[in-house]
Amino acid sequence: MALISALTATPTAFSQDYAGDNLTFHFEIQAQPLIKALRDFTVVTEQQVIVKVDNISQYKSSAISDKLTAQQALMQLTANSGLRITQTTSGTFLLEQDVPLTKPESKELEKIVVVGSKMGETRQEIATSVGYFGEEQIKDQVIYNVEDVFDRTANVSAGSAISGAYSIRGVNTDGIAGSLNRSNALASILINQVAMGVSAGNYVKPSLFDATSAEVLRGPQSSLQGPNALIGAVYINYNRPDFFGYEGSVRAEVGQYDTKRLALMQNLVLAEDTLAARLVLETRQSDGDVINITTGREDVQNEDEETIRLALRWLPLGDEELVFDLSYLHNNSDTNATPFVYALPEGDIFERKQSYNIEGDFPSSFDLLSLEANWQVSENLRFTSVTGFNKFAVDPRFVGDHTAYDLLGVDGFMNEELLSQELRLHYEGKRLSGLVGLFYSDGEYYNGFTGAGVFPDGQGGVIPFNNTVHSTENIEQQALFAQLNWLPIDDWEIKLGARLNREKRSTKDFKDNGFVSDQSASESFYQLIPSLTIAYDISDNTRIGASYSRGFQAGGVSFAMFLGEATPYDEEFIDNYELFLRNQLLDGKLRLNANLFYFDWSDQQVTLTLPGGLAGFDDAVVNAGKSKVSGAEFEAEWQATADLNLFANFGFIHTEFEEFVTKGIDLAGMSFPQAPDFTANLGGLYQNDNGFFTSMTFSYTGDTYSRIDAPEVTKIGNRKLLSGRLGYQQDDWRAYIWGNNLLDDDYEIFVQDGRDFGLAGAYGSVGEPRTLGVGFQFDW
């Protein structure tokens, strides 16, 4: 129970006989956390309020600007809260939860604001197809990091660090065929609106503990987002510090394969209504079940992560008119990014064995610093600044000869630093709203390796290998962007977006294999990127519309490491057309969303191995392709009863090369690699008043293949993943059993043709086996 300038008193219903009921006051109270609005109320009226509400911090007030009685003002402030107001004979107000006599059959689905829209649009208003996971969904399902989100999103699939960590709508973030020295990515992962670097996005899997939401925006986002938004953007939004007390949480889990997870969150109020902090500590370890039969190591598929997050929120004026959010994230990892196993003719890839003399080590560190400032200049005008800096370093050591013998060990490195600054001015009117912004980023990307020994020639012999390669690329981007949302007449909305972009790329490459090669090049690119959406509200609950958006990826210079050849390449473009439906039925209890899309991909950047070069090392990026992609996403969520929430999403995709010739082979008519044509996710959450709860999610991903140069050898089968939790909870704690891959499905993640290394078959990475465990969480 909270006291707002009050003493305990006996409540009665509102009485018009109470002296002072007709006394009016002038109120100017903005929409804000209800607890703060009540304090403002008591300052104006000098009347007491007793708050008997569980977790008052979750309630928000309405805004009032009028001359009202105390009763009228309090009723307006709490109008949207569902709380009950009574008053004592002495004039003290009592605010408490209005408990219904009978439990409702179900409740209305929550209105969801999409952070990635940057316009404050909800899922039912935005034209972009959004896969969304809220705080409760993350907490209740078996969702630990961003890869779990990929596995549960329509037309999105998880991949491998060395081949692109994820695909959106059939397009891998590393492109059709990535190369070792490529710093391009077709999508970005953003943490609190700051984009991670390219390599960090592949290797680091950000945790979702204490996240408020995760969003996957499908389709080109280039008119509003920062870098690398040709096929989509992924937003991870962490909780910010609050001023409602010293809340905290601890979660501990153990399971098979020596799985151990421990996470702690603590919120701290450092200065009342002015300064607050939030600290998160997390560790994750697991051995996996891949065995190296040469070294005897049994934890080759290990996960070993340590994360620290610290956030500060400063309200210099004591309210949310001006807000500064500073956050810092640090991640240390010894996770094996590529635990390769064999699929030789006499063996099975799902035996989960390797025979390398070096298992592979990928120690990495990642740091991200962000500063966000929000200033409510006036009722209609808001200014936002987002400053970000992140750096990533990984120093892999891996076997170069793919044998059990000490023929070639390779020491590599990848380092990157990315600085970004975004400024936005947002106007919100009755029929016209919009924003205008500036974006700047400066990225430095370094990678290379050193190796000495002998290397398989692919024909049963070996060739000498003594190479040192360093590659450096600087990418500087400047952009002016804007979006205008206009309601010309009732029920119609037109959204216009544009981005004027300049990108400069400078490349420097060094090679020494007995012959020294030192080359450099620089290219600049200018583009105007438009977008258009027309939406019509059939009713208050149904919106339909159509949209066009263009995505692009700048060109650059690629470098063949061993041959020492530099190859310039031009931009690539996607013209994306969509139809969408947003619908809510059954009094807001059932949400049905759908997007149909088609896009042309022109001047497509593809990676080819140059004549006389080594695949994966002597690759050149060229504009040699043209493709088309079509498909659909359907999403449904149903609050069936007050205890039961059900959801489903389906994705259909058709990808096809129209113009693509590689190594003299015409691949026109072929589908993309890492582009499953069907994905589906079904699940639900049940929890009752007795404390029992259970959640289940079934995810299906269709089959595909890994490499365009060997589609038959690098086939990837479908995935059928079932995960869930079963447990008991009370107000501040929960205990449960959990399980991943409950069907124990064997599935490949990435498969590589082994013939380039003299192997008779293929090798690759496989998914984790069925894993069971127990967990406990305590909140305070």
Side-chain angles (χ1 to χ4, degrees), residues 172-186 198-199 202 230 414 416 445 447 471 473 475 505 509 553-555 557-559 561 569-570 572 601 603-607 616 619-623:
N172 187 267
T173 183
D174 268 8
I176 295 303
S179 62
L180 292 180
N181 68 333
R182 190 177 183 189
S183 54
N184 289 1
L186 304 187
V198 176
S199 297
N202 277 334
L230 183 77
M414 279 184 282
E416 62 186 18
Y445 302 88
N447 68 82
S471 178
E473 186 166 15
I475 302 176
R505 291 173 173 247
D509 297 284
Q553 176 71 284
V557 178
S558 60
F559 182 69
M561 294 185 176
Y569 56 94
D570 294 326
E572 59 184 343
W601 196 347
D603 297 322
Q604 190 173 358
Q605 297 172 6
V606 297
T607 306
D619 292 340
V621 180
V622 298
N623 298 91

Side-chain angles (χ1 to χ4, degrees), residues 65-119:
S65 178
D66 205 349
K67 196 172 184 180
L68 304 167
T69 67
Q71 292 177 11
Q72 292 170 336
L74 194 56
M75 293 177 70
Q76 288 192 26
L77 286 175
T78 61
N80 297 321
S81 67
L83 300 177
R84 181 175 59 188
I85 305 169
T86 54
Q87 191 176 20
T88 70
T89 55
S90 64
T92 298
F93 291 106
L94 176 63
L95 189 65
E96 58 187 339
Q97 288 166 305
D98 193 2
V99 181
L101 296 176
T102 59
K103 186 175 182 179
E105 292 185 2
S106 64
K107 56 187 178 182
E108 186 174 336
L109 293 170
E110 177 188 5
K111 179 184 287 188
I112 296 170
V113 175
V114 180
V115 174
S117 77
K118 298 189 178 180
M119 292 285 291

Side-chain angles (χ1 to χ4, degrees), residues 12 112 143 156 183 222 254 273 335 364 400 415 429 444 569 572 590 648 671 742 768:
T12 65
I112 296 170
I143 298 176
V156 178
S183 54
S222 298
V254 295
D273 296 335
T335 299
S364 70
N415 299 322
E444 296 280 351
Y569 56 94
E572 59 184 343
L590 175 63
S671 64
L742 292 172
E768 297 178 357

Side-chain angles (χ1 to χ4, degrees), residues 215-275:
E215 306 168 359
V216 182
L217 280 64
R218 293 166 289 219
Q221 309 295 317
S222 298
S223 63
L224 276 184
Q225 305 299 341
N228 310 322
L230 183 77
I231 59 168
V234 181
Y235 272 75
I236 297 174
N237 308 302
Y238 289 122
N239 276 308
R240 308 300 179 95
D242 63 50
F243 296 90
F244 306 128
Y246 296 88
E247 66 172 326
S249 179
V250 62
R251 183 181 70 192
E253 294 182 348
V254 295
Q256 292 175 288
Y257 304 105
D258 204 22
T259 299
K260 296 185 288 289
R261 304 186 185 106
L262 180 64
L264 169 70
M265 181 278 292
Q266 178 63 59
N267 190 85
L268 301 167
V269 179
L270 304 178
E272 185 177 0
D273 296 335
T274 304
L275 186 64

